[in-house]
Amino acid sequence: GRNEKGWQSLQCPAVEYIINNYLDGAQTGSTERLTPGGMHFRDSKRKVDYVLAYHYRKSTSQSSGGSPSLSQRPPSLAIISNGETAKTASPDAEVIDLGPLEALEEAKREQRKEFESNLMEAGLEIEKDAETYEITEEMGIVNKLSEIWQKFTKPLQPKVPQQNTTRMKHLSYPFSREKLYLYNIQDKDTFFDNATRSRIVHEILKRTYTTKAKNSMGINTLIANNVYEAAFPLHDGEYDGENKEMNERKLLYQEWARYGSFYKFQPIDLVRKYFGEKIGMYFAWLGLYTEFLIPSSVVGIIVFLYGCLTIESDVPSKEMCDQRNAFTMCPLCDKTCDYWNLSSACGTARASHLFDNPATVFFSVFMALWATMFLENWKRLQMRLSYFWDLTGLEEEEEHPRPEYETKLLQKKSQSEKCKKACQDEDEKEKLTWKDRTPGYLVNFASILFMISLTFSLVFGVIVYRITTAAALSMSPNESTKSNVRVTVTATAVIINLVVILILDEIYGMVAKWLTEMEIPKTEKTFEEHLIMKAFLLKFVNSYAPIFYVAFFKGRFVGRPGHYVYVFAGYRMEECAPGGCLMELCIQLSIIMLGKQLIQNNIFEIGVPYLKKLFRKLKDERPEAKTNESDPSKPPQQWELDHALEPFTGLTPEYMEMIIQFGFVTLFVASFPLAPVFALLNNVIEVRLDAKKFVTELRRPDTVRAKDIGIWFNILSGIGKFSVIINAFVISVTSDFIPRLVYQYAYSHNGTMHGFINHTLSYFNVSDFKAGTQPEASSFEEDVSLCRFKDYREPPWSENQYEFSKQYWTVLSARLAFVIIFQNLVMFLSVLVDWMIPDIPKDISEQIKKEKSVLVDFFLKEEHEKLKLIENFITRDKQRSKNETRGRRLRAASFCQFNRSQRGSLTSFSSHHTDV
């Protein structure tokens, strides 16, 4: 902020009191310019006797937001005379909002206000100086960076009407017909925007019943029973028609839904205004997630480049590639496979270093903190949006039961034979109990177990394919085929896994919906939450099961030469590559992630709607369809165009694909640092793809108010915590990071990595092969007596030959210790970041408190005025009754005097008494 100086002039008693209410523009009428010498008030008559000066802080955001500040042009004045505002203010005066003051400045302002009020009550006249000047103060580094950032990002802003939320916010209150005096209603047709109007109509449709059927039904039940085909709000017009008139839909298409606008920020306020708060929250979350992928992508590229730059200096890779070492390795399969030199796996070893280096450990810690910071910043943005979208006081209303729930409830009532009249009188108390839902729960439990078992079975099937294919290719007479067995098997198996994942994803989505319907949830919110949990569980297992196998199970149950583990009584379990399984994990993760994003998230979302649109077009062009048209030459109405669009089915598919991607980015990031880069590239397209789908291809959804993203936040938080554990095990178990540290600091003679490869290889005496498993023909010139295999085991000349060696248990202990230390350290740092970043921004918290105070004061003032008005009526009534009583007494006295003077006739008395 910046300091400004205010002046106030004081004078002895006069008639008018003048105060400054921060109006902009020149005043006319009784308000005049200051006299040249500044010795008099603006009327040039009243003399200034005393001066009060004070400083106040003005928010920088207010002065730099495009509106001139008080120091740049003189504010106008409003004249207060006898407690009423003068009507001579300029009609084009404009209010300049000063923004939220700091707590200390607010207290000072209140003290000045009270003090000046007391001075005025004492008879002094006060006038604030219209000309203020700025006290120069150096701007902080944060403010300078903020201004530079605003100038730099100006071309990225969409050209849409911006809501002035940063400088001014109107107070809001839930609408009530009983309190119309609270609202600034100028036109009842425009008081509510289109989204709010459609929401009101939708609520009326849900709560309006018909009794033509066996039970009362709202619009959802009527649509479910095919009484109506559909119910949807109308779009704002055509988005690309010949009509040049701009509307919100066309504006969204031009500035948001086109791929050419990929570099611009999203007009979230306009999205919320057109589609409602729930969809606005989704795109705000997607935008923040995409923005946060930028720093993680930069760090991931740096980590990858570090691996590229240090590959030549990596000692283990050099030792493996050095042909002079001549490490003769044991055969990879029985009979047909020959002994081989470790140097032949040089390329795999060098490639593994790109992703298996010390920088990946740092990147794992960084991504864990990144996930925490992302969630914390989303909570802050969510709270800010809730505040500006008037959702902070939003209370969950009782939802209307789903049609399926009402139907099931009707069946339960019809089957009951107990006191039908009592049941009709107690409809509100009747509900479905856990006994009614038990069959559905049992089917759900059994079906989910079956689906998970099916996923594991298919993963095992792919494992069998890898084993059998590797064995078949190893017997090929073609040398090139033999040398590329591992690459061929890995690539084809990953593609098969990808196809299986894509197919099962579609099946599991339908199965999850069917299972949720069997539970008969009462409300749409409960139905949506149950559906999300089932679909996420099934798709999570489906997407990550092959990756979990490669990361934690492949190569762990192979056995050793002479005592291998076999499947189907003839095929050995597959082993990891000489450089470890981390490279294969990277290949598996990259192909599945890119394949899902390219095929499922983009091609399906583009191709499937296009095919549906083409099918509807061909269907409409049929002769029997054209005969139903009343007037083919008449242009179609907007509701006809909207009816031809695809119905909106919810945000669950949109969230689901992003949540699965979030898992790819965080869970196994230690093995694939470039995952955030590919996620960022995908999301830049995904934002515009989803925007185009909502604007051009879907019917306008019902606007739903929501102040958060619901259960999705809990899933994100769970994935973030789970990623810490997964990355800890990937680093300690899958990579060679821990064995290298143990060797360097415990077994190396000179503290370097020289001799590491020899340290990790065990000896095997070829005479110990089982009969029929040794190579039938060997290309080695010399007879091989000892071969090497990767493991920590005792040599054949040891008393405990082929048992796990001391080094094995040392490395295992170090791995477990690393998991514990890494997990607790990262969790502590995450909690620390969570504690350091408040969930509610300070300015929003202060504004909410201030709004509550203003509303309370306003309501108290209104109630006080009502009470005062009632007291005035009561006082008038009392005064009127007193006057009437006094009049009756006077008339009674006059009658008594008349009675004394007229004692002669009873008839005359009676007649006058009647008149009285």
Side-chain angles (χ1 to χ4, degrees):
R2 64 184 183 186
N3 287 324
E4 295 196 359
K5 181 173 287 187
W7 299 95
Q8 287 181 293
S9 304
L10 307 182
Q11 198 213 30
C12 291
V15 177
E16 293 181 326
Y17 304 135
I18 302 177
I19 66 169
N20 183 3
N21 74 333
Y22 305 106
L23 289 177
D24 175 46
Q27 288 287 354
T28 58
S30 61
T31 304
E32 301 175 1
R33 301 278 184 185
L34 283 176
T35 55
M39 300 298 297
H40 296 81
F41 279 19
R42 288 183 176 82
D43 57 6
S44 301
K45 297 178 182 179
R46 294 173 294 163
K47 184 180 178 181
V48 176
D49 297 316
Y50 214 86
V51 175
L52 295 177
Y54 58 90
H55 294 294
Y56 65 93
R57 291 184 60 84
K58 183 176 180 182
S59 176
T60 304
S61 62
Q62 310 303 327
S63 59
S64 63
S67 299
S69 62
L70 291 178
S71 61
Q72 294 170 327
R73 53 183 180 180
S76 304
L77 306 175
I79 300 176
I80 307 296
S81 177
N82 297 328
E84 296 182 359
T85 305
K87 298 181 180 180
T88 58
S90 175
D92 55 355
E94 182 179 345
V95 175
I96 297 178
D97 178 59
L98 293 181
L101 298 176
E102 297 180 1
L104 182 60
E105 296 298 327
E106 180 69 16
K108 291 179 181 179
R109 191 185 68 83
E110 292 295 333
Q111 293 175 12
R112 287 196 298 268
K113 182 178 178 181
E114 182 182 2
F115 180 70
E116 291 162 11
S117 176
N118 294 337
L119 292 179
M120 293 172 67
E121 290 180 2
L124 295 181
E125 294 178 359
I126 302 177
E127 183 179 82
K128 290 188 178 181
D129 184 11
E131 296 181 0
T132 61
Y133 65 91
E134 178 180 353
I135 297 178
T136 59
E137 181 181 24
E138 293 186 2
M139 297 179 63
I141 185 65
V142 177
N143 296 328
K144 289 183 179 180
L145 292 176
S146 177
E147 287 190 356
I148 295 174
W149 176 253
Q150 290 177 3
K151 293 179 181 179
F152 180 75
T153 58
K154 188 175 181 180
L156 306 180
Q157 298 294 339
K159 298 177 182 179
V160 298
Q162 295 290 337
Q163 293 185 1
N164 199 15
T165 55
T166 58
R167 287 171 291 179
M168 181 176 65
K169 180 180 182 296
H170 298 285
L171 291 179
S172 62
Y173 188 75
F175 181 75
S176 174
R177 293 181 180 272
E178 288 76 17
K179 297 181 179 181
L180 294 177
Y181 60 88
L182 296 176
Y183 312 101
N184 182 23
I185 303 178
Q186 298 178 355
D187 186 356
K188 66 179 182 179
D189 292 330
T190 59
F191 179 65
F192 294 113
D193 57 22
N194 293 337
T196 306
R197 291 167 66 93
S198 66
R199 184 171 65 247
I200 294 173
V201 174
H202 181 64
E203 289 298 324
I204 295 175
L205 289 173
K206 288 197 302 183
R207 300 177 186 279
T208 301
Y209 297 96
T210 176
T211 56
K212 295 295 183 181
K214 295 181 180 179
N215 63 326
S216 59
M217 299 189 228
I219 186 62
N220 292 339
T221 311
L222 295 174
I223 293 177
N225 294 340
N226 294 323
V227 178
Y228 289 99
E229 180 188 352
F232 54 90
L234 202 63
H235 270 298
D236 213 13
E238 296 187 43
Y239 63 91
D240 60 349
E242 298 179 356
N243 186 8
K244 295 183 179 180
E245 181 181 355
M246 183 61 66
N247 55 51
E248 292 180 352
R249 188 187 186 193
K250 184 179 293 186
L251 192 60
L252 283 172
Y253 177 74
Q254 293 179 356
E255 297 295 326
W256 181 52
R258 294 187 304 111
Y259 293 109
S261 303
F262 74 94
Y263 63 93
K264 293 184 178 181
F265 293 116
Q266 297 186 86
I268 293 298
D269 289 325
L270 186 59
V271 174
R272 169 253 178 180
K273 182 181 179 183
Y274 191 77
F275 291 109
E277 287 79 4
K278 189 172 184 178
I279 295 177
M281 280 287 181
Y282 164 71
F283 281 103
W285 173 84
L286 181 58
L288 183 68
Y289 172 49
T290 304
E291 291 176 9
F292 260 75
L293 285 173
I294 296 175
S296 61
S297 299
V298 173
V299 178
I301 292 174
I302 294 174
V303 170
F304 179 74
L305 293 178
Y306 172 83
C308 295
L309 296 175
T310 58
I311 191 171
E312 297 297 335
S313 60
D314 182 50
V315 175
S317 299
K318 287 183 177 181
E319 290 185 349
M320 188 177 293
C321 296
D322 191 356
Q323 296 183 0
R324 294 174 299 179
N325 290 326
F327 293 114
T328 303
M329 306 298 293
C330 297
L332 297 175
C333 63
D334 295 341
K335 292 185 180 181
T336 57
C337 294
D338 194 5
Y339 302 105
W340 57 284
N341 286 323
L342 185 62
S343 59
S344 62
C346 176
T348 305
R350 292 172 64 87
S352 297
H353 178 74
L354 298 176
F355 306 100
D356 190 2
N357 55 72
T360 57
V361 180
F362 159 76
F363 191 56
S364 300
V365 177
F366 171 81
M367 288 303 296
L369 300 180
W370 172 88
T372 303
M373 292 188 66
F374 164 63
L375 294 178
E376 291 302 313
N377 277 271
W378 166 245
K379 286 192 286 188
R380 290 170 62 84
L381 177 59
Q382 184 175 260
M383 190 63 202
R384 189 176 293 275
L385 292 176
S386 297
Y387 170 71
F388 285 118
W389 292 353
D390 299 322
L391 301 172
T392 52
L394 180 64
E395 296 181 358
E396 294 185 3
E397 300 178 356
E398 184 179 357
E399 290 189 61
H400 188 74
R402 298 178 66 249
E404 294 80 3
Y405 181 87
E406 290 185 334
T407 304
K408 186 68 176 179
L409 193 61
L410 179 65
Q411 294 175 357
K412 180 181 178 181
K413 293 178 182 179
S414 62
Q415 293 175 0
S416 176
E417 298 178 357
K418 297 180 181 179
C419 191
K420 292 185 178 181
K421 292 185 178 180
C423 292
Q424 293 176 357
D425 295 337
E426 299 179 0
D427 284 345
E428 295 182 356
K429 297 182 180 180
E430 191 73 27
K431 62 180 181 180
L432 298 181
T433 62
W434 65 271
K435 294 182 179 180
D436 301 314
R437 293 190 171 96
T438 297
Y441 289 151
L442 293 176
V443 173
N444 268 259
F445 182 75
S447 300
I448 291 175
L449 283 182
F450 172 77
M451 293 297 170
I452 294 177
S453 302
L454 175 63
T455 302
F456 290 155
S457 300
L458 292 174
V459 171
F460 181 74
V462 175
I463 295 172
V464 173
Y465 161 80
R466 296 165 66 109
I467 295 173
T468 55
T469 305
L473 294 178
S474 299
M475 292 185 291
S476 174
N478 191 339
E479 292 298 328
S480 61
T481 303
K482 282 186 176 181
S483 61
N484 295 318
V485 168
R486 193 179 298 276
V487 176
T488 305
V489 170
T490 301
T492 55
V494 171
I495 294 174
I496 293 174
N497 274 327
L498 176 62
V499 174
V500 171
I501 288 172
L502 294 177
I503 295 174
L504 289 183
D505 264 358
E506 300 300 320
I507 295 176
Y508 287 167
M510 295 183 290
V511 170
K513 185 176 181 181
W514 174 68
L515 293 176
T516 307
E517 290 175 347
M518 293 191 65
E519 290 184 4
I520 320 173
K522 183 176 181 180
T523 62
E524 287 294 338
K525 182 179 179 180
T526 308
F527 177 86
E528 184 179 18
E529 290 180 350
H530 290 191
L531 174 62
I532 289 171
M533 290 305 300
K534 291 182 182 63
F536 172 73
L537 176 62
L538 294 175
K539 293 188 177 184
F540 181 90
V541 173
N542 181 44
S543 299
Y544 297 114
I547 301 174
F548 270 90
Y549 163 72
V550 175
F552 303 121
F553 297 100
K554 183 179 180 181
R556 311 297 170 191
F557 310 101
V558 177
R560 58 170 179 83
H563 196 271
Y564 285 113
V565 177
Y566 292 88
V567 292
F568 301 118
Y571 296 99
R572 279 166 42 180
M573 289 292 293
E574 57 179 345
E575 303 178 38
C576 290
C581 281
L582 195 68
M583 187 61 197
E584 187 173 346
L585 176 62
C586 175
I587 297 174
Q588 184 104 356
L589 183 65
S590 59
I591 293 179
I592 292 178
M593 178 182 178
L594 295 177
K596 279 180 65 66
Q597 291 183 165
L598 181 63
I599 298 175
Q600 189 176 43
N601 298 356
N602 293 324
I603 294 180
F604 281 8
E605 291 193 21
I606 297 174
V608 173
Y610 176 78
L611 293 177
K612 289 183 178 180
K613 187 176 181 180
L614 181 62
F615 176 77
R616 290 195 304 270
K617 184 179 180 180
L618 295 176
K619 185 178 179 181
D620 294 338
E621 290 179 353
R622 291 184 304 176
E624 56 270 21
K626 292 185 177 181
T627 56
N628 296 330
E629 298 180 3
S630 58
D631 188 3
S633 62
K634 182 180 177 182
Q637 299 295 323
Q638 185 62 46
W639 50 81
E640 296 175 335
L641 297 175
D642 286 6
H643 183 266
L645 299 176
E646 284 292 314
F648 175 68
T649 57
L651 289 171
T652 300
E654 315 300 333
Y655 273 114
M656 187 65 70
E657 64 184 65
M658 289 295 104
I659 297 297
I660 296 296
Q661 184 202 85
F662 183 79
F664 282 119
V665 170
T666 56
L667 288 178
F668 296 94
V669 73
S671 62
F672 189 41
L674 295 179
V677 179
F678 293 109
L680 175 63
L681 296 176
N682 174 80
N683 286 9
V684 170
I685 302 174
E686 182 70 23
V687 171
R688 308 301 161 179
L689 181 63
D690 286 348
K692 185 178 181 181
K693 181 169 62 175
F694 274 88
V695 174
T696 66
E697 298 172 1
L698 295 178
R699 296 172 185 169
R700 189 172 183 178
D702 292 311
T703 57
V704 179
R705 305 199 77 191
K707 58 182 179 181
D708 52 38
I709 60 175
I711 197 174
W712 294 111
F713 182 84
N714 298 330
I715 294 176
L716 285 169
S717 180
I719 291 177
K721 293 179 174 60
F722 189 50
S723 67
V724 177
I725 304 174
I726 295 299
N727 282 297
F729 277 99
V730 168
I731 295 171
S732 64
V733 176
T734 311
S735 74
D736 283 337
F737 177 74
I738 299 300
R740 292 186 182 192
L741 284 182
V742 172
Y743 175 78
Q744 184 175 2
Y745 294 103
Y747 295 99
S748 177
H749 298 291
N750 52 7
T752 64
M753 293 302 298
H754 291 285
F756 172 73
I757 297 298
N758 184 59
H759 178 75
T760 58
L761 298 177
S762 299
Y763 289 92
F764 180 76
N765 193 336
V766 297
S767 61
D768 294 332
F769 274 122
K770 289 184 178 180
T773 60
Q774 62 271 20
E776 295 178 347
S778 176
S779 60
F780 280 68
E781 296 179 357
E782 298 179 359
D783 292 337
V784 178
S785 59
L786 294 174
C787 64
R788 310 292 293 272
F789 64 98
K790 190 174 182 179
D791 205 347
Y792 293 101
R793 290 182 180 268
E794 297 289 345
W797 53 82
S798 174
E799 294 181 358
N800 302 318
Q801 60 176 0
Y802 306 134
E803 296 292 331
F804 286 118
S805 63
K806 180 181 177 181
Q807 289 87 342
Y808 171 83
W809 300 110
T810 304
V811 172
L812 180 61
S813 302
R815 282 174 168 170
L816 296 178
F818 175 83
V819 170
I820 297 173
I821 294 173
F822 181 89
Q823 177 182 341
N824 286 276
L825 176 62
V826 176
M827 286 293 185
F828 170 76
L829 294 177
S830 300
V831 172
L832 182 63
V833 171
D834 188 2
W835 174 77
M836 292 176 62
I837 303 177
D839 295 345
I840 303 177
K842 184 178 179 181
D843 59 329
I844 298 298
S845 178
E846 293 177 354
Q847 283 287 73
I848 292 175
K849 293 178 182 178
K850 188 176 294 185
E851 283 192 12
K852 289 182 178 179
S853 176
V854 171
L855 285 174
V856 169
D857 292 342
F858 178 78
F859 289 137
L860 289 177
K861 182 179 178 182
E862 291 293 330
E863 296 299 328
H864 179 70
E865 291 180 356
K866 286 183 180 180
L867 184 60
K868 189 175 181 180
L869 185 62
I870 293 173
E871 289 177 352
N872 289 339
F873 279 121
I874 295 175
T875 304
R876 286 184 191 175
D877 291 341
K878 289 182 178 179
Q879 189 67 27
R880 187 180 303 167
S881 61
K882 288 181 180 179
N883 293 338
E884 291 178 356
T885 304
R886 184 178 179 184
R888 284 196 294 270
R889 290 176 179 175
L890 291 174
R891 287 192 292 272
S894 300
F895 173 74
C896 293
Q897 293 176 0
F898 174 79
N899 191 21
R900 292 193 187 97
S901 60
Q902 301 290 336
R903 293 187 178 182
S905 171
L906 180 61
T907 305
S908 65
F909 167 77
S910 300
S911 62
H912 281 282
H913 185 273
T914 303
D915 291 339
V916 172

